[in-house]
Amino acid sequence: MKMLVKAPAKINLSLDVLHKRPDGFHEVEMVMTTVDLADRIELELMNDGKIHILSHDRFVPGDHRNLAYKAAALLRERYKIKQGVAITIHKQIPVAAGLAGGSSDAAATLRGLNQLWKLNIPLDELAALGAQIGSDVSFCVYGGTALATGRGEIIQELPVPPNCWVILAKPTIGVSTADVYQNLRIDKIKHPDTNAMVQAIKKQDYQAMCENLGNALESVTLKMHPEVAHIKEQMGRFGADAVLMSGSGPTVFGLVEYESKVNRVYNGLRGFCDQVFAVRLIGERNPLA
């Protein structure tokens, strides 16, 4: 038996880091939303009792380090499942890009296996399981648009943001989230106005959404990787309405309201950046959610 599940990328419209917690994680406050760039996860039940990861992308780990593998292993162990599964990951989302590609793959695996194995786990419980795999997995289980707090696992649904295009550009580097947090000085960062972003989305105010984009990790990554700063600067120069780094980077995204501007920004970036995507902002919850 086979199933295909979509695993969309996310961007952070706002990302704030409040303080370091006793458990070693950082307390965050993020407004996240999904975009129409997605991996496809193919799940096929196997009778060998093993978890297989298949992908043509050489940067995707094919073993227990893979978050989709961890998702399947967690469900099997928790619900005493004897069946195995082959998980084929058709990558579209760049790896180590700040777009939650691996987390979204894990979330899609949880949602798909919940159906294939007929577990009937409620969505909130599935999201809580996701939090054991990674901080962004809970959000990705739901998809859509949300305010995420705690270490990212406490999810409060928000309305779909104002409609627009999103241009994504990833330089040919990967960024370690752990390294970025290690270099973070909370007393030195500029804190975005999370509440203003939430209100902009609730009021469907595109201008206010653009004005309140903010990422507390951005200054750290820009210092570590000047090429990210270069992409950000160029994207603004080519005419994006607002520009921000997503997550811990290195992907930079630009919001563009009018389609007539999209090609200019896209083509300008393609001149010096290999991985550039022009996609719509989805902002709606996953159909399986």
Side-chain angles (χ1 to χ4, degrees):
M1 201 173 170
K2 277 189 184 182
M3 184 179 212
L4 260 180
V5 192
K6 202 173 174 186
K10 65 85 193 162
I11 55 171
N12 296 84
L13 297 173
S14 179
L15 192 165
D16 198 7
V17 184
L18 306 178
H19 55 83
K20 194 162 185 180
R21 298 156 34 134
D23 62 7
F25 288 101
H26 285 81
E27 188 76 17
V28 295
E29 204 174 55
M30 306 183 286
V31 176
M32 299 195 275
T33 192
T34 44
V35 298
D36 198 13
L37 172 69
D39 292 346
R40 283 183 308 117
I41 308 298
E42 192 178 317
L43 302 168
E44 184 176 7
L45 298 184
M46 310 286 279
N47 291 320
D48 61 1
K50 293 179 181 169
I51 299 166
H52 307 266
I53 298 286
L54 310 161
S55 178
H56 293 304
D57 191 314
R58 63 193 174 94
F59 296 113
V60 174
D63 55 19
H64 62 90
R65 293 168 301 158
N66 189 293
L67 296 187
Y69 182 104
K70 289 183 180 185
L74 182 62
L75 285 184
R76 283 192 71 213
E77 190 184 320
R78 176 69 59 96
Y79 296 95
K80 308 288 184 281
I81 304 292
K82 297 285 185 280
Q83 258 180 325
V85 62
I87 304 168
T88 305
I89 301 173
H90 302 278
K91 285 302 284 180
Q92 291 294 321
I93 305 169
V95 175
L99 298 172
S103 297
S104 196
D105 294 348
T109 302
L110 288 174
R111 293 197 317 273
L113 288 178
N114 189 29
Q115 288 202 353
L116 278 179
W117 283 336
K118 298 181 171 57
L119 299 173
N120 299 315
I121 306 165
L123 200 66
D124 293 345
E125 203 176 307
L126 213 56
L129 283 169
Q132 296 178 36
I133 302 163
S135 295
D136 284 337
V137 179
S138 297
F139 166 76
C140 293
V141 165
Y142 296 110
T145 307
L147 172 66
T149 52
R151 59 179 175 85
E153 86 288 10
I154 301 164
I155 306 298
Q156 186 183 321
E157 189 180 3
L158 290 172
V160 177
N163 202 3
C164 65
W165 287 85
V166 181
I167 313 285
L168 301 160
K170 180 192 177 285
T172 52
I173 54 165
V175 168
S176 157
T177 302
D179 287 352
V180 173
Y181 273 104
Q182 212 170 348
N183 286 295
L184 182 71
R185 300 287 171 267
I186 291 177
D187 54 337
K188 298 269 169 67
I189 57 179
K190 188 178 177 216
H191 296 279
D193 189 340
T194 310
N195 188 50
M197 176 57 75
V198 170
Q199 292 311 313
I201 290 169
K202 286 182 175 175
K203 290 173 183 166
Q204 291 294 290
D205 187 336
Y206 178 75
Q207 192 57 42
M209 180 170 81
C210 288
E211 285 166 7
N212 287 290
L213 286 186
N215 183 344
L217 300 178
E218 192 178 66
S219 58
V220 182
T221 303
L222 297 190
K223 200 175 279 184
M224 290 165 66
H225 302 283
E227 54 268 66
V228 181
H230 178 62
I231 288 176
K232 192 178 176 201
E233 189 185 302
Q234 294 301 324
M235 202 180 273
R237 203 166 65 80
F238 293 136
D241 300 330
V243 183
L244 190 71
M245 183 184 83
S246 186
S248 55
T251 301
V252 173
F253 70 88
L255 302 182
V256 180
E257 189 173 16
Y258 299 113
E259 193 171 353
S260 53
K261 257 192 196 178
V262 171
N263 280 344
R264 185 178 151 207
V265 181
Y266 177 83
N267 291 332
L269 291 163
R270 287 286 296 160
F272 64 93
C273 190
D274 281 344
Q275 290 185 294
V276 185
F277 308 87
V279 296
R280 297 304 301 232
L281 192 147
I282 308 173
E284 291 174 347
R285 283 203 160 183
N286 291 311
L288 283 183

